[in-house]
Amino acid sequence: MTAITDAPATSTAGATGRLTSAVHPVAADILFERHLRVPPDPVAAELGPTSEVDRAHVVMLTEQGVIERGTAARLLAGIEELRATDFAPLRNLPAPRGRYLAYEGHLVDTLGEETGGVLHSGRSRNDLNATVLRLQLRRPYDRLLTETDALGRALVDRGRRWHTTVMPAYTHHQPAVPITYGHYLAGVAAALVRDLDQLDHAGRELGENPLGAGAVGGTTLPVDAARTTELLGFDAPLANSLHAVASRDVVLRLLAACTVLGVLLTRTAHDLQSWTSAENPLLVLPDSLVGSSSMMPQKRNPFLLENIQGKAAGALGALTAATAAMSTARYTNAIAVGTEAVGHVWSALEATTDAVVLLRLMIEGAEPDRDTMRRRTAHGQTAATALAERLVVAGMPFRTAHHTVGDISRVALATGRSFETVAAERLGDHPRELLDALDPDSVAASAGAGGGPAPASVTAALDDATDRLDGLGAAADARRSRWTAAERALCDAVSTLIRQP
C-alpha cells in the first residue's frame, strides 16, 4: 500500500476573492467530498472477512479429518458463490439473531444440514469475532502507518532543504536562541518516528490469531491453530483461550498510540498557525492550502491547521470511551468489550490518518520567508545566550555572565539600539573575538553540541530519522507480504478442495 498521491491544484475553478486556485485536491477530498460518497455495503463489509475466516477454518478442519473432503468442497463452493456476488442473496434476509447466523442459516438452507451445518464446528462467535476484528483492522492500520511514514519522509526532505535557514526557536512564545527551520523539522521528525514505532508495536497484536479459542475454553476437536494462522497471515496463535476472547487490548493500544501521535500533530499545527499569522509571518502557504472568507475578501485562512487539531483529538475521545466501556466488563467474552468498545476505533483511525495527511500537505507546501525569519531572529536578541557562553569560556562565572548580558539586552531595548552595538560598548575591554560572529547564522552554525542546529548535527538527526523510517518501513513491507502470501495460499487451498472433492 502506498501513500496517497497528489499534485497541486492548477485549476482556478475554486478560486475566490484574493485566492487564485482551489483547495488542494487531497485536502478537498478529506474535508468536502468523502462524506458525499455512498458508504461501503455493510453486509459485504461484515461477511467478507467473516467468510475469509470460514474458508481457512474449513480447510483446516478438512485437513484434520473433522470434515470429509466432499462435504468441504460443497461448503466452500457455496461460500465462494456468496463471495462472488458480494453476498447479494443475504441482503434482504431477516437477521433477528445477527447477520452471521443469517449467513450460516442460508448455507444450511441451500446446501443442507449435512453440509452447511458443519461450518461452525469447533468454533464460537466469540473467537470468530476476535479474529474478524484483527482482519478488519489491517487495512486502516496499514494506511495510518503508510501515511505517517510519508509525513516522516516529508519532514526529513524539507529538513534537509532548509537545514541552514535560520529562524528563532521559541520558548514561552518568545524568541529564544537561533536555530534553523530544518532543525525544527528534524525535531518533529524525531518525535514522529517514535510515535510510528509505538504504532508498530501496538499493531503487533494484530498478528496474534484467536481462532480455536471457542467460546472461552477452547475445543475438544483437533483444531490446528497453527494452520489457520498460516492461511490467514497471522504470526502465531494465541496461547490462552480466555485471553483470546476476553481481550481487545489491541484496540486500546492502537487508540493510545494514535492519541500520542495526535498530540504531536496538534502541537506542530499550533506552531504553523503562529508562523503563518499576519503578526509573525515566518512561513508562506500557497493558495491551495488556505481558505477564503465568505465575507472578507482579503482573508487567507490556514484553516487546514484547525482541521488537523480537531481530527487529531478524536483518538483521545475514542480511547476514553473504549476504556470506559471495557472497564465495565469482567475478564471474559463481553459485548461491552467486543462490540461497544471496539466501535470507537474505526472513526479514530480514519481521523488520525486524515490529520497526518493534512499535516504532510502543510509541511510540503509551506515555504520559509528567509528574510523575515532572519529579521525576527536578530530582533529577538537570540545571540544573547551565545555571548554569555563566550564570557564563560573567557573565565567569567555563568551567573555573572547571565546578569551582564541581561543588562546589555535591557539597555538595547530601552535605547532602541542593536544588541550587538551595546555589547560592543559594554564589553570593549574584552578580546575582539568575543564579539565576532554574533549574527544569528553564525551562532546557529556553531551550536552543534547537544543536538543543536549546526549543519552536521541537523544532518545526523535527519539521517537517524531516515534509518528508523527505513527499518519500520521494512517491517511494514514484510507484514504486507505475509498477508498477500497467506491470501494466495488460502485461495489455492480452497480451489484445490473444490476441484478435488
Side-chain angles (χ1 to χ4, degrees):
M1 184 175 181
T2 57
I4 295 174
T5 57
D6 46 74
T10 57
S11 170
T12 59
T16 174
R18 182 179 171 186
L19 306 183
T20 60
S21 66
V23 173
H24 195 291
V26 173
D29 180 73
I30 291 172
L31 302 177
F32 308 141
E33 298 169 16
R34 181 186 294 160
H35 72 284
L36 300 176
R37 298 176 192 160
V38 176
D41 173 56
V43 175
E46 177 180 340
L47 295 183
T50 298
S51 63
E52 195 78 356
V53 177
D54 287 346
R55 297 162 85 217
H57 187 63
V58 171
V59 168
M60 178 274 297
L61 289 177
T62 305
E63 294 172 351
Q64 291 296 101
V66 177
I67 300 177
E68 295 182 354
R69 293 182 66 88
T71 300
R74 291 188 296 274
L75 179 54
L76 288 171
I79 293 173
E80 295 299 281
E81 183 177 346
L82 284 174
R83 285 169 59 87
T85 62
D86 273 341
F87 306 93
L90 304 177
R91 295 184 190 283
N92 298 317
L93 284 182
R97 299 292 294 173
R99 191 167 284 126
Y100 172 75
L101 290 180
Y103 156 71
E104 185 183 4
H106 173 80
L107 292 172
V108 171
D109 292 342
T110 56
L111 301 176
E113 182 75 28
E114 295 300 316
T115 298
V118 303
L119 175 61
H120 214 47
S121 303
R123 197 179 66 185
S124 165
R125 276 191 293 180
N126 298 355
D127 61 336
L128 173 61
N129 289 342
T131 308
V132 167
L133 171 65
R134 284 164 165 78
L135 297 184
Q136 289 175 320
L137 280 170
R138 283 179 179 177
R139 185 179 298 275
Y141 170 71
D142 185 60
R143 178 173 176 254
L144 174 57
L145 264 62
T146 298
E147 296 298 349
T148 305
D149 174 86
L151 171 58
R153 295 186 187 279
L155 289 163
V156 168
D157 176 75
R158 294 326 191 256
R160 295 190 192 282
R161 182 180 303 181
W162 293 306
H163 76 287
T164 60
T165 302
V166 171
M167 66 174 290
Y170 289 88
T171 61
H172 308 286
H173 297 276
Q174 304 301 315
V177 295
I179 60 168
T180 67
Y181 186 46
H183 180 255
Y184 172 82
L185 295 176
V188 177
L192 186 84
V193 168
R194 291 189 180 276
D195 290 346
L196 183 57
D197 181 67
Q198 289 303 304
L199 280 169
D200 177 83
H201 190 273
R204 292 177 191 175
E205 291 183 59
L206 296 181
E208 299 173 344
N209 180 16
L211 199 61
V216 68
T219 175
T220 59
L221 292 178
V223 301
D224 183 0
R227 180 58 169 152
T228 56
T229 293
E230 176 187 10
L231 292 172
L232 293 172
F234 290 110
D235 295 319
L238 279 166
N240 182 275
S241 61
L242 174 61
H243 177 212
V245 301
S247 174
R248 298 294 190 278
D249 286 354
V250 63
V251 168
L252 297 184
R253 296 186 206 285
L254 287 175
L255 290 175
C258 286
T259 297
V260 175
L261 171 60
V263 170
L264 174 64
L265 301 177
T266 298
R267 296 179 72 187
T268 306
H270 276 308
D271 283 339
L272 299 186
Q273 269 188 317
S274 173
W275 300 340
T276 54
S277 68
E279 292 76 15
N280 194 34
L282 303 184
L283 298 174
V284 179
L285 296 175
D287 283 359
S288 61
L289 295 180
V290 299
S292 61
S293 164
S294 64
M295 183 178 186
M296 297 169 284
Q298 85 282 9
K299 294 297 293 296
R300 297 182 83 255
N301 300 323
F303 73 106
L304 297 184
L305 296 170
E306 296 179 53
N307 288 112
I308 291 168
Q309 293 160 1
K311 289 180 177 296
L316 175 59
L319 174 62
T320 302
T323 303
M326 289 192 192
S327 66
T328 66
R330 298 175 67 182
Y331 194 71
T332 185
N333 181 74
I335 290 174
V337 175
T339 301
E340 298 302 330
V342 164
H344 299 283
V345 71
W346 311 109
S347 60
L349 287 174
E350 181 176 68
T352 304
T353 304
D354 287 346
V356 167
V357 172
L358 293 175
L359 183 57
R360 174 176 62 82
L361 296 180
M362 300 300 288
I363 294 297
E364 291 175 341
E367 293 278 343
D369 185 329
R370 295 172 184 265
D371 291 338
T372 301
M373 283 184 167
R374 185 174 287 106
R375 187 167 58 253
R376 297 288 199 210
T377 308
H379 288 176
Q381 301 182 346
T382 57
T385 301
L387 178 57
E389 290 175 343
R390 291 183 187 184
L391 290 171
V392 169
V393 171
M396 184 180 292
F398 174 75
R399 192 52 58 197
T400 303
H402 188 278
H403 287 304
T404 300
V405 176
D407 190 55
I408 292 171
S409 171
R410 179 186 59 79
V411 171
L413 290 172
T415 62
R417 292 181 294 166
S418 71
F419 175 80
E420 292 80 2
T421 299
V422 177
E425 291 177 357
R426 294 295 185 92
L427 302 173
D429 57 339
H430 286 73
R432 178 62 195 171
E433 58 267 21
L434 186 76
L435 299 172
D436 286 342
L438 273 179
D439 60 284
D441 293 78
S442 299
V443 172
S446 65
S457 176
V458 175
T459 298
L462 293 169
D463 289 344
D464 180 69
T466 300
D467 290 344
R468 291 172 183 267
L469 287 171
D470 288 345
L472 291 166
D477 288 341
R479 186 165 50 243
R480 294 183 201 108
S481 296
R482 184 176 67 252
W483 294 342
T484 301
E487 186 177 354
R488 287 197 298 265
L490 179 55
C491 287
D492 289 344
V494 169
S495 297
T496 298
L497 274 176
I498 291 175
R499 288 197 308 267
Q500 301 174 1

